[in-house]
Amino acid sequence: MPAVPTDFPRPDDAPPEGKAARFAELGAGRPARVVAVTSGKGGVGKTFVSANLAAALSRRGLRVLVLDADLGLANLDVVLNLAPQRTLHDVFTGGSVLEEALLPAPGGFTVLLAGSGLVEYSRLTPDLREQLFGVIEQVRPLFDVVLLDTGAGISDVVLYTISLADEVLVVATPEPTALTDAYATLKVLAHQQHRERLGLVINQVARSGDGRAIAAQLQAVVDRYVLPMTGHPVQLQLIGDIPADPAVREAVQRRELLIERLPGSPAAQAFGPLARRLAPD
């Protein structure tokens, strides 16, 4: 079974009515699990995690889409060395239909890339709400997993995008400022969105077991300060940790997926267990 629907209609493959029919046919499956991959601050490797996790999930035979939801500051195309002709911005503005913007990516998954430097997506408008919701509802039937690679922080655009997901993965590093910002994100999601379960991915750990220790520390802080605010317990689940590894820098500089460029490296090896824990039953 192909890992992703690489046979979705392309612009030159068929007349419009044929493309529409094929798109509808692909949407006949069970709706995808939508997972928001987010972070409290930038620079913690959120997009790196999204891309390599998507490839690891694809290797398990799943149809995976990464939707670049970092609107206006998108860089998934850079990470994957892609030059899209049509983007999410084109879909939003009516310059392209959705199926024309779906692009096969290295690693066997599919991407829906966003335009960069677009200030109109810096604030949440009624139109943007409707467009984001509509696109996610359209792609859900086509895939097994949809990863929303959100922007960093707790802006209204980021929080609304996360609200459309079934699950949340918060990516952080052991750096104190990253953990402080991760806690702020966890608190807002628990309070505003009433999230009772939040996933954690700790990137760039120095030693095995550091991720568990960091997750336990964050859980203790959440139990002490967030529980009285929300009135309900919030469970933090460590989905995985990724070791600090010079191979990551090499893959990023080459604009290649780590698990394809250097699959035997320690950081690449961490994505198999991470995908196994996240994969739908």
Side-chain angles (χ1 to χ4, degrees), residues 71-87:
L71 303 176
L73 294 173
N75 62 2
L76 182 62
D77 57 335
V78 177
V79 170
L80 296 172
N81 197 24
L82 294 173
Q85 294 183 345
R86 295 170 176 84
T87 67

Side-chain angles (χ1 to χ4, degrees), residues 15 19 56-57 66 77 94 118 161 171-172 175 189 193 232 252 269:
K19 290 187 288 185
L57 287 165
V66 181
D77 57 335
L118 302 171
T161 303
V171 180
E175 179 189 4
L189 293 175
Q193 298 188 10
H232 61 77
V252 170
Q269 292 290 307

Side-chain angles (χ1 to χ4, degrees), residues 11-122:
D12 300 324
D13 286 345
E17 63 275 13
K19 290 187 288 185
R22 182 68 183 122
F23 197 57
E25 178 186 341
L26 285 168
R30 183 178 65 177
R33 174 186 294 181
V34 179
V35 181
V37 183
T38 192
S39 64
K41 69 185 293 289
V44 298
K46 173 178 53 61
T47 298
F48 161 79
V49 169
S50 296
N52 284 275
L53 175 58
L57 287 165
S58 295
R59 290 182 177 185
R60 297 181 63 84
L62 298 171
R63 301 169 301 162
V64 182
L65 171 71
V66 181
L67 190 157
D68 193 348
D70 191 356
L71 303 176
L73 294 173
N75 62 2
L76 182 62
D77 57 335
V78 177
V79 170
L80 296 172
N81 197 24
L82 294 173
Q85 294 183 345
R86 295 170 176 84
T87 67
L88 190 59
H89 172 69
D90 297 312
V91 177
F92 284 173
T93 58
S96 172
V97 293
L98 177 62
E99 59 265 34
E100 292 176 343
L102 295 173
L103 183 66
F109 57 97
T110 305
V111 292
L112 179 52
L113 300 171
S116 59
L118 302 171
V119 296
E120 59 263 46
Y121 300 127
S122 61

